[in-house]
Amino acid sequence: MYFVKSISEDVRFAQLELRKHSKAKRLVLGTFLACMAAVLQIAGGFLPGIGYFISPFATLPILISAMFSFQMGVMSYFLTILLLFILFPSELVIFPFTTGLLGIGIGAAFSFFKKRLSIIFGGAILLTIGIMSLLYIFHFPLLGPAVSDSFSVLTGGSIFIFSFLYSWLWVEMALFFFKKFKTFIT
């Protein structure tokens, strides 16, 4: 079955290749990915309309850095939050709980799990927790007026189904990226 198959060794190969480089090069790579994530995240504010389609791609740099190394992913995540605090504070509410958390979750899941379904669930659970935290703890209208402030099982289930499908999309994109990375390196 598709979901219970083990993922390829392309991610492990990339992690081993990265460990061959010095700490300074890894630090620069993590910082560069954090800057890319910040720029992609603030695209919605600077380019209304099309920027909202670019903004979700802020997950990719965090996901890549967390797949290379969990420590690099966490560093990139917090550095992106710091950059957003300085450059565009209004995006500071969204990134830590949705886009960045999904990247960290899937990247960490690639390090801890080998089955595709486990990796997808890892990202989906963290994204669901992030969205529900914004909705029900901080009362931030992330989904607009269509969703009330009070918890409902239907809303929670819908958020989890969306998170699962969205996480699945990002897992497949990450695997595609790392397959291309392997062919580029070798």
Side-chain angles (χ1 to χ4, degrees), residues 46-116:
F46 284 124
L47 303 169
I50 194 164
Y52 294 116
F53 293 107
I54 297 170
S55 184
F57 288 103
T59 300
L60 187 61
I62 302 299
L63 174 59
I64 290 170
S65 64
M67 285 174 74
F68 277 138
S69 162
F70 182 67
Q71 292 85 5
M72 182 191 297
V74 170
M75 180 203 66
S76 297
Y77 175 74
F78 284 112
L79 184 57
T80 304
I81 291 171
L82 182 65
L83 286 169
L84 288 173
F85 178 73
I86 294 168
L87 298 173
F88 212 79
S90 65
E91 288 292 326
L92 193 57
V93 177
I94 305 296
F95 179 80
F97 293 100
T98 58
T99 317
L101 196 59
L102 178 65
I104 287 288
I106 294 174
F110 268 107
S111 296
F112 298 125
F113 305 121
K114 292 193 184 298
K115 303 284 186 204
R116 182 176 264 123

Side-chain angles (χ1 to χ4, degrees), residues 31-41 57-58 60-61 64 80 83:
T31 306
F32 175 72
L33 290 169
C35 290
M36 280 181 50
V39 167
L40 290 170
Q41 184 68 33
F57 288 103
L60 187 61
I64 290 170
T80 304
L83 286 169

Side-chain angles (χ1 to χ4, degrees), residues 166-182:
Y166 195 63
S167 181
W168 183 16
L169 174 75
W170 277 108
V171 167
E172 296 303 323
M173 286 176 59
L175 288 173
F176 176 78
F177 172 80
F178 275 92
K179 283 181 183 162
K180 293 297 180 187
F181 177 78
K182 186 176 181 180

